[in-house]
């Protein structure tokens, strides 16, 4: 039973990210983050839509995009720190771009996107009128001075961000115990 969990998730979103969400309408509980991510892709992507994702990327993303008959477009991150190169990213957009996938902290590199990088992504999403679908399963697992910032917390992004997350990594309960999708006007998927 998941009764009450959406109230807890709404309070957590407010506390950790400053986001006001409705626990009755803004969450979908799924059996694992991969299911939540697939649901987000299937809800937003139509055949032929392009989806930008940062390379290297978690392998499930491409499969979900292709199952929705979308077109994955890889944007390379610059090693060794896996930084976002703004020009490469911005030149990847076309009139067919429907969404940007953001995984931060990033799997497989561990990179935590900086506020400056997130601002580049958020401004591009708003300018190009596309969604952001985030994978935030590692949000509480960061090191040194790095701190996770949810893209949805930036100005103008709550309305166009779908957050996918999970309890599995933070609480060591892998295997599909609980993941969620927060959906506020297409805003979240946890």
């Amino acid at each position: 039973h998941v009764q009450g969990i959406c109230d807890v998730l709404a309070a957590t979103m407010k506390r950790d990210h400053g986001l006001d969400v409705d626990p009755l309408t803004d969450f979908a509980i799924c059996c694992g983050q991969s299911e939540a991510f697939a649901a987000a892709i299937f809800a937003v992507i139509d055949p032929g839509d392009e989806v930008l994702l940062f390379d290297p990327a978690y392998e499930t993303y491409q499969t979900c995009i292709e199952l929705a008959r979308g077109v994955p477009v890889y944007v390379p991150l610059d090693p060794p720190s896996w930084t976002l190169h703004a020009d490469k990213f911005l030149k990847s957009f076309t009139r067919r771009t429907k969404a940007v996938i953001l995984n931060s902290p990033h799997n497989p590199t561990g990179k935590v996107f900086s506020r400056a990088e997130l601002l580049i992504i958020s401004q591009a999403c708003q300018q190009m009128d596309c969604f952001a679908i985030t994978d935030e399963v590692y949000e509480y697992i960061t090191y040194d001075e790095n701190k996770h910032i949810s893209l949805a917390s930036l100005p103008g992004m709550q309305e166009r961000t779908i957050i996918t997350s999970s309890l599995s990594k933070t609480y060591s309960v892998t295997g599909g115990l609980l993941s969620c999708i927060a959906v506020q006007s297409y805003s979240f998927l946890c």
Side-chain angles (χ1 to χ4, degrees):
H1 295 279
V2 295
Q3 296 161 329
I5 191 69
C6 292
D7 293 318
V8 172
L9 291 171
T12 301
M13 297 302 281
K14 179 67 172 176
R15 180 193 71 218
D16 294 354
H17 305 298
L19 298 170
D20 290 312
V21 295
D22 185 335
L24 297 177
T25 60
D26 296 344
F27 293 93
I29 304 298
C30 300
C31 294
Q33 189 278 337
S34 294
E35 179 183 339
F37 183 83
I41 291 293
F42 297 148
V44 172
I45 302 306
D46 294 317
D49 287 343
E50 292 179 354
V51 181
L52 303 186
L53 57 161
F54 298 107
D55 190 26
Y58 183 58
E59 68 273 2
T60 300
Y61 303 155
Q62 178 178 336
T63 302
C64 288
I65 294 165
E66 290 174 345
L67 284 171
R69 296 199 173 132
V71 179
V73 176
Y74 285 91
V75 179
L77 296 173
D78 292 337
S81 298
W82 306 105
T83 53
L84 173 64
H85 189 281
D87 289 337
K88 289 179 192 174
F89 174 61
L90 296 173
K91 287 179 182 175
S92 298
F93 282 87
T94 71
R95 61 178 181 75
R96 293 176 35 203
T97 303
K98 183 78 169 276
V100 175
I101 305 302
L102 175 65
N103 175 215
S104 181
H106 187 255
N107 179 1
T109 68
K111 175 207 179 31
V112 177
F113 281 75
S114 69
R115 179 172 289 279
E117 291 171 318
L118 294 173
L119 285 170
I120 292 167
I121 296 166
S122 71
Q123 291 167 357
C125 286
Q126 291 174 71
Q127 186 176 30
M128 299 304 293
D129 191 28
C130 67
F131 291 101
I133 301 172
T134 65
D135 175 347
E136 301 183 19
V137 298
Y138 294 105
E139 69 181 301
Y140 298 109
I141 304 173
T142 60
Y143 301 94
D144 302 324
E145 71 282 350
N146 296 317
K147 184 177 183 321
H148 169 73
I149 301 168
S150 179
L151 186 65
S153 70
L154 298 180
M157 288 306 293
Q158 184 169 344
E159 301 78 25
R160 65 178 65 250
T161 302
I162 302 171
I163 298 172
T164 67
S165 192
S166 174
L167 298 175
S168 65
K169 305 304 187 260
T170 303
Y171 298 101
S172 299
V173 288
T174 57
L177 178 64
L178 173 71
S179 290
C180 64
I181 299 176
V183 188
Q184 179 175 353
S185 307
Y186 287 92
S187 285
F188 306 95
L189 290 161
C190 305

